[in-house]
Amino acid sequence: ASAVSGALFSVGAQAAELTIGFSQIGSESGWRAAETTVSKAEAKKRNINFKIADAQQKQENQIKAIRSFVAQGVDAIFLAPVVATGWDAVLKEAQEAKIPVVLLDRDIDPAGKNLYLTAVTSDSVHEGKVAGQWLVKTAGGKPCNVVELQGTVGASVATNRKKGFEDGIAGASNVKIVRSQTGDFTRAKGKEVMESFIKAEGGGKTICAVYAHNDDMMVGAIQAMKEAGLKPGTEILTVSIDAVPDIFKAMAAGEANATVELTPNMAGPAFDAVIAYKTKGTMPPKWIQTESKLYTQADNPMAVYESKKDLGY
Ligand code: GZL
Protein backbone atom coordinates (compact mmCIF):
# COMPACT_ATOMS: atom_id res chain seq x y z
CA ALA A 1 0.00 0.00 0.00
CA SER A 2 1.24 3.53 -0.58
CA ALA A 3 2.85 5.19 2.44
CA VAL A 4 -0.02 6.77 4.35
CA SER A 5 0.13 9.02 7.39
CA GLY A 6 -1.53 8.38 10.76
CA ALA A 7 -3.82 5.46 11.29
CA LEU A 8 -5.52 5.57 7.92
CA PHE A 9 -4.32 2.77 5.70
CA SER A 10 -5.78 1.54 2.48
CA VAL A 11 -7.61 -1.75 2.64
CA GLY A 12 -8.62 -2.30 -0.98
CA ALA A 13 -10.10 1.03 -2.08
CA GLN A 14 -11.55 1.59 1.39
CA ALA A 15 -9.50 3.67 3.88
CA ALA A 16 -10.07 2.24 7.38
CA GLU A 17 -9.11 3.63 10.81
CA LEU A 18 -7.36 1.43 13.37
CA THR A 19 -9.38 0.10 16.28
CA ILE A 20 -7.33 -0.47 19.44
CA GLY A 21 -8.55 -1.86 22.76
CA PHE A 22 -6.82 -0.83 26.00
CA SER A 23 -7.04 -3.04 29.08
CA GLN A 24 -6.32 -0.33 31.68
CA ILE A 25 -5.66 -1.23 35.34
CA GLY A 26 -8.05 1.27 36.90
CA SER A 27 -7.71 4.73 38.41
CA GLU A 28 -5.80 3.90 41.61
CA SER A 29 -3.55 6.94 41.37
CA GLY A 30 -3.31 10.41 39.87
CA TRP A 31 -0.66 9.12 37.49
CA ARG A 32 -2.95 6.34 36.24
CA ALA A 33 -5.77 8.84 35.64
CA ALA A 34 -3.36 11.04 33.66
CA GLU A 35 -2.24 8.06 31.57
CA THR A 36 -5.86 7.42 30.61
CA THR A 37 -6.51 11.09 29.77
CA VAL A 38 -3.33 11.39 27.72
CA SER A 39 -3.91 8.11 25.86
CA LYS A 40 -7.35 9.31 24.72
CA ALA A 41 -5.83 12.56 23.44
CA GLU A 42 -3.04 10.68 21.64
CA ALA A 43 -5.62 8.37 20.00
CA LYS A 44 -7.64 11.37 18.82
CA LYS A 45 -4.53 12.97 17.27
CA ARG A 46 -4.06 9.81 15.20
CA ASN A 47 -7.71 9.25 14.33
CA ILE A 48 -7.67 5.90 16.15
CA ASN A 49 -10.90 4.27 17.34
CA PHE A 50 -9.81 3.69 20.97
CA LYS A 51 -11.74 1.55 23.47
CA ILE A 52 -10.66 1.61 27.15
CA ALA A 53 -11.74 -1.07 29.66
CA ASP A 54 -11.18 -0.16 33.36
CA ALA A 55 -10.38 -3.28 35.44
CA GLN A 56 -10.63 -1.71 38.93
CA GLN A 57 -7.15 -3.16 39.58
CA LYS A 58 -8.39 -6.77 39.14
CA GLN A 59 -6.44 -9.10 36.85
CA GLU A 60 -9.51 -11.20 36.06
CA ASN A 61 -11.22 -8.10 34.67
CA GLN A 62 -8.20 -7.38 32.49
CA ILE A 63 -8.26 -10.93 31.14
CA LYS A 64 -12.00 -10.58 30.39
CA ALA A 65 -11.35 -7.29 28.58
CA ILE A 66 -8.60 -8.83 26.43
CA ARG A 67 -10.90 -11.74 25.51
CA SER A 68 -13.61 -9.25 24.55
CA PHE A 69 -11.20 -7.25 22.37
CA VAL A 70 -10.12 -10.49 20.63
CA ALA A 71 -13.79 -11.38 20.00
CA GLN A 72 -14.36 -7.90 18.54
CA GLY A 73 -11.42 -8.43 16.20
CA VAL A 74 -9.62 -5.20 17.15
CA ASP A 75 -6.44 -4.30 15.24
CA ALA A 76 -4.26 -4.19 18.39
CA ILE A 77 -4.51 -4.49 22.17
CA PHE A 78 -2.77 -2.34 24.78
CA LEU A 79 -2.29 -3.89 28.22
CA ALA A 80 -1.08 -2.26 31.45
CA PRO A 81 -0.55 -5.53 33.37
CA VAL A 82 -1.55 -5.07 37.03
CA VAL A 83 0.79 -7.93 38.00
CA ALA A 84 3.62 -9.63 36.09
CA THR A 85 2.27 -13.22 35.99
CA GLY A 86 -0.84 -15.09 34.79
CA TRP A 87 -1.05 -13.70 31.24
CA ASP A 88 0.19 -16.61 29.08
CA ALA A 89 -3.17 -18.18 28.19
CA VAL A 90 -5.01 -15.01 27.23
CA LEU A 91 -2.04 -13.49 25.38
CA LYS A 92 -1.71 -16.75 23.41
CA GLU A 93 -5.36 -16.33 22.38
CA ALA A 94 -4.59 -12.83 21.09
CA GLN A 95 -1.52 -14.20 19.27
CA GLU A 96 -3.59 -16.96 17.64
CA ALA A 97 -6.03 -14.27 16.49
CA LYS A 98 -3.02 -12.38 15.02
CA ILE A 99 -3.76 -9.34 17.20
CA PRO A 100 -0.54 -7.60 18.34
CA VAL A 101 -0.33 -6.72 22.05
CA VAL A 102 1.62 -3.73 23.42
CA LEU A 103 2.43 -3.45 27.15
CA LEU A 104 2.11 -0.02 28.74
CA ASP A 105 3.91 1.13 31.92
CA ARG A 106 4.38 -2.31 33.49
CA ASP A 107 5.98 -5.58 32.35
CA ILE A 108 5.02 -9.24 32.37
CA ASP A 109 7.49 -11.97 33.34
CA PRO A 110 10.30 -12.41 30.77
CA ALA A 111 8.98 -15.91 29.86
CA GLY A 112 6.11 -14.12 28.12
CA LYS A 113 8.46 -12.03 25.96
CA ASN A 114 7.23 -13.61 22.74
CA LEU A 115 3.60 -12.82 23.58
CA TYR A 116 3.76 -9.07 22.96
CA LEU A 117 5.01 -6.77 20.17
CA THR A 118 6.72 -4.19 22.41
CA ALA A 119 6.60 -2.72 25.92
CA VAL A 120 6.51 1.05 26.52
CA THR A 121 7.79 1.52 30.08
CA SER A 122 10.28 3.44 32.18
CA ASP A 123 13.29 1.70 33.74
CA SER A 124 11.68 1.13 37.14
CA VAL A 125 14.84 -0.35 38.69
CA HIS A 126 16.60 2.90 37.74
CA GLU A 127 13.76 4.95 39.29
CA GLY A 128 14.26 3.15 42.62
CA LYS A 129 18.03 3.55 42.40
CA VAL A 130 17.77 7.30 41.76
CA ALA A 131 15.51 7.56 44.83
CA GLY A 132 17.97 5.58 46.97
CA GLN A 133 20.97 7.56 45.81
CA TRP A 134 19.18 10.85 46.55
CA LEU A 135 18.45 9.67 50.10
CA VAL A 136 22.05 8.55 50.71
CA LYS A 137 23.31 11.95 49.54
CA THR A 138 20.73 13.83 51.63
CA ALA A 139 21.29 11.72 54.78
CA GLY A 140 24.96 12.72 54.53
CA GLY A 141 26.45 9.87 56.55
CA LYS A 142 24.03 10.27 59.49
CA PRO A 143 22.03 7.20 60.66
CA CYS A 144 18.76 7.12 58.67
CA ASN A 145 16.04 4.52 59.28
CA VAL A 146 13.69 4.31 56.27
CA VAL A 147 10.12 3.01 56.05
CA GLU A 148 9.00 1.83 52.59
CA LEU A 149 5.52 1.95 51.05
CA GLN A 150 5.57 -0.68 48.29
CA GLY A 151 3.34 -0.66 45.23
CA THR A 152 0.91 -3.44 44.30
CA VAL A 153 2.26 -6.89 45.31
CA GLY A 154 3.44 -8.71 42.20
CA ALA A 155 3.50 -5.66 39.95
CA SER A 156 6.75 -5.49 37.95
CA VAL A 157 7.25 -1.84 38.93
CA ALA A 158 6.92 -2.61 42.67
CA THR A 159 9.44 -5.45 42.49
CA ASN A 160 11.81 -3.29 40.44
CA ARG A 161 11.47 -0.09 42.49
CA LYS A 162 12.19 -2.07 45.66
CA LYS A 163 15.28 -3.68 44.10
CA GLY A 164 16.51 -0.41 42.61
CA PHE A 165 16.19 1.43 45.94
CA GLU A 166 18.11 -1.34 47.73
CA ASP A 167 20.83 -1.07 45.08
CA GLY A 168 20.89 2.72 45.58
CA ILE A 169 21.45 2.50 49.35
CA ALA A 170 23.66 -0.61 49.29
CA GLY A 171 26.88 1.35 49.78
CA ALA A 172 25.62 3.38 52.76
CA SER A 173 25.50 1.36 56.00
CA ASN A 174 23.90 4.36 57.78
CA VAL A 175 20.73 4.12 55.61
CA LYS A 176 18.53 1.14 56.55
CA ILE A 177 15.01 0.03 55.57
CA VAL A 178 13.38 -0.85 58.92
CA ARG A 179 9.80 -1.46 57.72
CA SER A 180 8.33 -2.24 54.30
CA GLN A 181 4.71 -2.95 53.34
CA THR A 182 2.42 -2.55 50.34
CA GLY A 183 0.12 0.45 50.08
CA ASP A 184 -1.21 -0.82 46.73
CA PHE A 185 -0.31 2.49 45.00
CA THR A 186 -3.30 4.31 46.60
CA ARG A 187 -3.45 7.41 48.85
CA ALA A 188 -5.86 5.75 51.29
CA LYS A 189 -3.76 2.62 51.80
CA GLY A 190 -0.55 4.65 51.88
CA LYS A 191 -2.00 6.71 54.75
CA GLU A 192 -3.21 3.61 56.61
CA VAL A 193 0.13 1.80 56.37
CA MET A 194 2.04 4.95 57.37
CA GLU A 195 -0.16 5.25 60.48
CA SER A 196 0.86 1.71 61.44
CA PHE A 197 4.54 2.48 60.80
CA ILE A 198 4.30 5.58 63.05
CA LYS A 199 2.72 3.55 65.86
CA ALA A 200 5.35 0.82 65.52
CA GLU A 201 8.22 3.33 65.44
CA GLY A 202 7.72 5.15 68.75
CA GLY A 203 5.29 7.70 67.37
CA GLY A 204 7.55 8.26 64.36
CA LYS A 205 10.50 9.71 66.28
CA THR A 206 12.83 6.96 64.97
CA ILE A 207 11.80 7.43 61.31
CA CYS A 208 14.32 9.45 59.28
CA ALA A 209 12.74 8.97 55.81
CA VAL A 210 9.82 7.53 53.85
CA TYR A 211 10.31 5.92 50.43
CA ALA A 212 7.04 5.37 48.52
CA HIS A 213 6.82 3.58 45.16
CA ASN A 214 4.42 6.31 44.00
CA ASP A 215 3.51 9.89 44.97
CA ASP A 216 -0.11 9.00 45.76
CA MET A 217 0.91 6.73 48.65
CA MET A 218 3.31 9.48 49.77
CA VAL A 219 0.49 12.08 49.79
CA GLY A 220 -1.41 9.73 52.08
CA ALA A 221 1.68 9.20 54.23
CA ILE A 222 2.22 12.96 54.53
CA GLN A 223 -1.34 13.32 55.88
CA ALA A 224 -0.66 10.55 58.40
CA MET A 225 2.61 12.19 59.54
CA LYS A 226 0.99 15.62 59.96
CA GLU A 227 -1.95 14.12 61.91
CA ALA A 228 0.60 12.50 64.23
CA GLY A 229 2.25 15.87 64.84
CA LEU A 230 5.32 14.98 62.76
CA LYS A 231 7.00 17.26 60.20
CA PRO A 232 7.28 15.56 56.75
CA GLY A 233 9.81 17.27 54.50
CA THR A 234 11.93 18.50 57.41
CA GLU A 235 12.08 16.05 60.38
CA ILE A 236 11.20 13.13 58.07
CA LEU A 237 12.53 13.10 54.48
CA THR A 238 10.24 11.95 51.64
CA VAL A 239 11.16 10.47 48.25
CA SER A 240 8.69 8.93 45.83
CA ILE A 241 8.00 8.37 42.11
CA ASP A 242 5.57 9.68 39.42
CA ALA A 243 5.95 13.50 39.72
CA VAL A 244 2.18 14.13 39.98
CA PRO A 245 1.04 17.75 40.59
CA ASP A 246 0.16 17.23 44.29
CA ILE A 247 3.68 16.15 45.23
CA PHE A 248 4.95 19.51 43.90
CA LYS A 249 2.33 21.31 45.96
CA ALA A 250 3.65 19.42 49.01
CA MET A 251 7.24 20.28 48.08
CA ALA A 252 6.32 23.99 47.78
CA ALA A 253 4.81 23.76 51.27
CA GLY A 254 8.04 22.16 52.56
CA GLU A 255 6.24 18.87 53.26
CA ALA A 256 7.92 16.70 50.58
CA ASN A 257 11.48 16.56 49.29
CA ALA A 258 11.94 14.57 46.07
CA THR A 259 10.15 12.70 43.29
CA VAL A 260 11.27 10.79 40.17
CA GLU A 261 9.23 11.73 37.11
CA LEU A 262 7.31 9.15 35.07
CA THR A 263 5.66 10.39 31.89
CA PRO A 264 1.94 9.57 31.59
CA ASN A 265 2.34 9.45 27.81
CA MET A 266 3.06 5.78 27.21
CA ALA A 267 0.30 5.49 24.57
CA GLY A 268 1.82 7.92 22.04
CA PRO A 269 4.91 5.81 21.32
CA ALA A 270 2.72 2.67 21.48
CA PHE A 271 0.33 4.01 18.82
CA ASP A 272 3.26 4.95 16.57
CA ALA A 273 4.79 1.48 16.91
CA VAL A 274 1.46 -0.20 16.01
CA ILE A 275 0.84 2.13 13.05
CA ALA A 276 4.33 1.46 11.63
CA TYR A 277 3.88 -2.27 12.21
CA LYS A 278 0.45 -2.36 10.57
CA THR A 279 1.18 -0.09 7.62
CA LYS A 280 4.83 -0.90 6.88
CA GLY A 281 5.49 -4.15 8.71
CA THR A 282 8.14 -2.37 10.84
CA MET A 283 9.15 -4.48 13.85
CA PRO A 284 9.58 -2.17 16.91
CA PRO A 285 12.28 -2.79 19.56
CA LYS A 286 11.05 -5.10 22.35
CA TRP A 287 11.35 -2.21 24.83
CA ILE A 288 10.57 1.46 24.18
CA GLN A 289 12.01 3.16 27.31
CA THR A 290 10.58 6.43 28.66
CA GLU A 291 12.73 8.96 30.55
CA SER A 292 13.04 9.37 34.33
CA LYS A 293 14.01 12.70 35.94
CA LEU A 294 14.63 13.59 39.61
CA TYR A 295 12.86 16.70 40.95
CA THR A 296 13.58 18.25 44.36
CA GLN A 297 12.50 21.39 46.25
CA ALA A 298 15.30 23.20 44.36
CA ASP A 299 13.39 22.80 41.07
CA ASN A 300 10.78 25.55 41.55
CA PRO A 301 8.01 23.09 42.56
CA MET A 302 5.16 25.59 42.25
CA ALA A 303 6.07 26.27 38.61
CA VAL A 304 6.19 22.53 37.91
CA TYR A 305 2.81 22.14 39.67
CA GLU A 306 1.33 24.85 37.39
CA SER A 307 2.71 23.09 34.29
CA LYS A 308 1.15 19.74 35.26
CA LYS A 309 -2.10 20.64 37.01
CA ASP A 310 -4.29 20.56 33.89
CA LEU A 311 -2.92 17.37 32.32
CA GLY A 312 -5.63 15.10 33.71
CA TYR A 313 -4.08 13.79 36.97
C1 GZL B 1 4.42 2.81 36.84
C2 GZL B 1 2.92 2.60 36.96
C3 GZL B 1 2.50 2.82 38.38
C4 GZL B 1 2.58 4.27 38.84
C5 GZL B 1 1.51 4.31 39.86
O1 GZL B 1 4.85 2.59 35.53
O2 GZL B 1 2.58 1.28 36.57
O3 GZL B 1 1.13 2.44 38.52
O4 GZL B 1 3.85 4.60 39.37
C6 GZL B 1 0.41 3.51 39.19
O5 GZL B 1 1.07 5.60 40.22
O6 GZL B 1 -0.47 2.98 40.11
Side-chain angles (χ1 to χ4, degrees), residues 28-29 31-32 105-106 157 161 185 213-214 242 262:
E28 73 280 1
S29 69
W31 183 89
R32 181 69 53 195
D105 78 76
R106 294 186 191 178
V157 287
R161 287 173 181 172
F185 282 130
H213 292 185
N214 82 336
D242 278 353
L262 174 73

Side-chain angles (χ1 to χ4, degrees), residues 35-76:
E35 183 188 52
T36 297
T37 305
V38 169
S39 63
K40 285 176 184 165
E42 293 294 312
K44 217 175 167 69
K45 272 190 217 167
R46 298 166 175 81
N47 188 29
I48 285 171
N49 177 16
F50 194 47
K51 303 160 173 258
I52 303 183
D54 176 325
Q56 279 94 37
Q57 278 193 279
K58 291 186 177 61
Q59 181 173 30
E60 65 264 22
N61 291 343
Q62 291 201 281
I63 290 170
K64 278 190 204 123
I66 294 168
R67 290 213 158 101
S68 161
F69 291 140
V70 171
Q72 293 170 50
V74 297
D75 296 298

Side-chain angles (χ1 to χ4, degrees), residues 24-25 27-33 35 57 80-82 104-107 120-124 127 151-152 155-158 161 184-186 213-217 241-244 260 262-263 266 290:
Q24 175 60 300
I25 291 175
S27 51
E28 73 280 1
S29 69
W31 183 89
R32 181 69 53 195
E35 183 188 52
Q57 278 193 279
V82 61
L104 299 194
D105 78 76
R106 294 186 191 178
D107 278 317
V120 182
T121 79
S122 61
D123 177 341
S124 43
E127 292 167 335
T152 301
S156 63
V157 287
R161 287 173 181 172
D184 211 16
F185 282 130
T186 68
H213 292 185
N214 82 336
D215 293 341
D216 277 63
M217 292 189 289
I241 299 167
D242 278 353
V244 302
V260 182
L262 174 73
T263 174
M266 305 284 179
T290 62

Side-chain angles (χ1 to χ4, degrees), residues 168-186:
I169 66 171
S173 57
N174 58 309
V175 179
K176 269 207 308 291
I177 299 170
V178 293
R179 292 185 188 277
S180 180
Q181 197 179 323
T182 183
D184 211 16
F185 282 130
T186 68

